[in-house]
Amino acid sequence: MTAVLDGITARDVTTDRLTTRVMYYGPDDGFTVMFFHGNVWSATWWEETLLALPPRYPGIAPEQRGSNGADTASIIDATRGM
C-alpha cells in the first residue's frame, strides 16, 4: 500500500463485491467532498487537494477498481485501451 501524506488516513473498505482503499481527511461531520480519479491515476493524486480543503469540509478519495491495490481481482487490462 502506498504511504499517504501526514494528516490523511487510508483504510481498506470491504463490501460483498470488492475491497478498495479509501483516503479520508478532515472532520467526521460536515459537507463531504468526494474526489474520484481517472483510470490512469490513483487516489493519491488528490492528497494535496485533500489537505487544502477548508477545515469544515471532510474529503474522501476512493481508489477505483484495479488502481493501487484496490480490488486486485479486477485489475484493468491497459493493453485494451482506456
Side-chain angles (χ1 to χ4, degrees), residues 9-64:
T9 303
R11 291 186 289 242
D12 286 340
V13 175
T14 301
T15 68
D16 291 339
R17 294 181 339 134
L18 60 93
T19 297
T20 192
R21 179 175 179 248
V22 181
M23 295 191 321
Y24 299 90
Y25 175 75
D28 291 335
D29 60 347
F31 186 79
T32 302
V33 181
M34 296 285 298
F35 294 90
F36 296 98
H37 65 83
N39 60 351
V40 294
W41 294 306
S42 79
T44 58
W45 174 262
W46 296 113
E47 286 186 76
E48 291 178 2
T49 305
L50 287 167
L51 292 172
L53 286 171
R56 67 184 179 279
Y57 293 99
I60 299 175
E63 291 291 357
Q64 304 291 6

Side-chain angles (χ1 to χ4, degrees), residues 58-81:
I60 299 175
E63 291 291 357
Q64 304 291 6
R65 294 180 109 175
S67 297
N68 202 19
D71 195 18
T72 55
S74 297
I75 297 296
I76 297 168
D77 181 4
T79 62
R80 297 187 302 159

